[in-house]
Amino acid sequence: MTETCTLCGHSWGVTTTPRPAVLCTPCGRPAPNRRPAHYWHLRATTGHPVQRYRSVDWWDQQTSLADLRQAAANATTL
């Protein structure tokens, strides 16, 4: 028995009854372009209290830097 992600179509095996509407781990993570309200709610309510009230531009910059670090890490494996 397998479950299939409703966004990307990735499948994985399960030992229980498959759920009809499920997301894989990468698709389930909130992102600005996917589930934006949940993404910004988590950004505003988690972390150090000083960082809770940062501007949207600041969070965008941090996300961009994290994306660049991940891209550099991916490039080293090519």
Side-chain angles (χ1 to χ4, degrees):
M1 295 191 314
T2 62
E3 287 182 338
T4 303
C5 177
T6 56
L7 289 180
C8 69
H10 175 73
S11 294
W12 58 93
V14 293
T15 57
T16 59
T17 304
R19 297 169 286 181
V22 66
L23 298 174
C24 62
T25 301
C27 292
R29 288 191 192 105
N33 61 342
R34 206 174 45 240
R35 300 169 56 202
H38 190 60
Y39 173 82
W40 289 112
H41 171 73
L42 287 174
R43 286 295 191 131
T45 59
T46 58
H48 192 274
V50 174
Q51 295 179 345
R52 284 188 184 166
Y53 306 106
R54 301 280 188 175
S55 70
V56 173
D57 294 332
W58 187 87
W59 285 113
D60 283 343
Q61 178 190 12
Q62 297 305 308
T63 304
S64 297
L65 291 173
D67 289 346
L68 286 173
R69 284 189 204 102
Q70 185 61 43
N74 290 346
T76 60
T77 60
L78 295 177

